[in-house]
Amino acid sequence: METPNIPPLKFRPILKSVIWGGEKIAPFKGIETEQTNIGESWEVSGVPSNPSVIDNGPDAGKTLPEILETYKAALVGEHNYRRFGNTFPLLIKIIDAAGDLSLQVHPDDELAKVRHNSLGKTEMWYIVDTEPDAIICAGLEKEVTPEDYVAKVSDNTLMEVVAHHKSHPGDVFFLPAGRIHSIGAGNLLVEVQETSDVTYRIYDFGRLDAKTGKPRELHVEEAKDAIDYTVHPSYVSEAGAEVDGISRLVKCDHFDVCRVSVDGKKTITPDYDSFATYTCIDGELTVTDDRGNSVSMRKGESVLVPAVATSIVLEGKGEFIQAIC
């Protein structure tokens, strides 16, 4: 069977206005829109209710789930297709927090499968930019029991036991399923996560929903047995040493994420059985595969390189976050 010629793919961003969203994503991406309070740009999504739409090449106008059904392992890799079938396994976002996000936790794969027939949600954050005194909440600073947790939600003291971290550009936070977390106001970041939209909100700073005028729903009991109550000595991940412009940020069972710098011309010859997503955080690059298919990528844009690509040539000057599965 002839190997399909799938070019590097770009997608139309899915912009989401939310109560805590800001005004940084559109200028970061270099786009004009009248939409306000944009908190998230879903860059590469196979979530059925919010699928990415292809913006280039012969499949322009089709969704990511549609072409996955067509190309199967040629798009995502043999191992990924055996493991996930027609579910695209990663969700890539750019997030701008003008206000604090709710404190939340996500179930692991096992619990999410039983409760929601979904993947769980392990994720990571790469901090692109921050306002002065921006904070990331991740993990527990003090030991609590499940019963303590419920009591602290009730009396509004939960934040007293949550670990707070001053954030800086270049910081990396790994958030395995079960770890309590929140993005504080003033953070612009790239998020890589499992394809799941299951979130348990456990604290919301007393905010009211703009549409209903009532407090947003909390999921206190659902989160009780999803939380990892372990207290760790550190919750900020250390990036690996940079080798030939590449430094590893996070590697786990769900994804392998690196920061890649290019100044001139770089050839990447994949040694993995997977697609790769590139999210540009600075500069402008041209991405060309081994069949001569080429696409441009500038700051704020993302490209999906199919698994069938045997080599990729990057030309220009810039930095991007690469994620494989």
Side-chain angles (χ1 to χ4, degrees), residues 283-297:
E284 189 168 348
L285 301 161
T286 299
V287 183
T288 305
D289 68 11
D290 53 290
R291 296 193 181 187
N293 299 304
S294 186
V295 67
S296 64
M297 178 173 62

Side-chain angles (χ1 to χ4, degrees), residues 76-307:
V76 296
E78 294 286 351
H79 174 73
N80 286 329
Y81 195 72
R82 286 195 301 269
R83 184 178 178 189
F84 300 105
N86 287 328
T87 297
F88 190 79
L90 295 184
L91 173 57
I92 314 298
K93 301 177 182 177
I94 298 172
I95 296 178
D96 171 28
D100 297 326
L101 274 69
S102 60
L103 191 68
Q104 52 192 238
V105 71
H106 309 294
D108 62 17
D109 287 347
E110 183 178 0
L111 186 58
K113 178 67 175 177
V114 171
R115 287 186 179 174
H116 310 283
N117 193 30
S118 169
L119 292 174
K121 189 174 175 183
T122 287
E123 58 192 311
M124 64 82 65
W125 297 332
Y126 178 84
I127 309 298
V128 176
D129 198 12
T130 62
E131 298 289 343
D133 301 320
I135 295 293
I136 291 289
C137 293
L140 290 168
E141 190 172 62
K142 299 177 182 177
E143 291 187 7
V144 293
T145 65
E147 290 70 29
D148 292 335
Y149 146 74
V150 173
K152 286 184 172 297
V153 172
S154 179
D155 63 17
N156 288 316
T157 60
L158 182 60
M159 294 300 284
E160 294 177 3
V161 298
V162 173
H164 291 61
H165 317 273
K166 184 170 171 55
S167 56
H168 312 85
D171 282 350
V172 180
F173 292 88
F174 176 52
L175 303 159
R179 182 166 293 174
I180 289 176
H181 60 274
S182 171
I183 302 172
N187 286 287
L188 179 69
L189 58 86
V190 173
E191 177 178 277
V192 178
Q193 62 158 90
E194 291 181 84
T195 291
S196 171
D197 208 19
V198 179
T199 294
Y200 298 150
R201 185 186 299 125
I202 56 180
Y203 183 72
D204 199 32
F205 306 97
R207 286 183 294 210
L208 302 180
D209 186 278
K211 294 181 180 178
T212 67
K214 298 178 180 179
R216 296 197 296 173
E217 181 184 5
L218 299 182
H219 311 96
V220 180
E221 286 299 320
E222 295 95 324
K224 185 177 178 181
D225 55 356
I227 294 171
D228 176 4
Y229 294 93
T230 307
V231 176
H232 295 274
S234 176
Y235 296 97
V236 184
S237 300
E238 293 292 331
E242 185 172 309
V243 178
D244 192 26
I246 301 174
S247 58
R248 173 165 280 135
L249 304 179
V250 171
K251 185 176 184 180
C252 66
D253 290 340
H254 307 288
F255 43 70
D256 186 351
V257 182
C258 295
R259 183 183 63 235
V260 182
S261 298
V262 179
D263 188 358
K265 186 174 182 179
K266 178 187 293 293
T267 299
I268 295 180
T269 303
D271 58 357
Y272 44 78
D273 176 28
S274 175
F275 64 91
T277 65
Y278 299 164
T279 299
C280 188
I281 57 174
D282 190 38
E284 189 168 348
L285 301 161
T286 299
V287 183
T288 305
D289 68 11
D290 53 290
R291 296 193 181 187
N293 299 304
S294 186
V295 67
S296 64
M297 178 173 62
R298 70 184 185 207
K299 184 172 75 172
E301 292 186 329
S302 298
V303 168
L304 169 63
V305 177

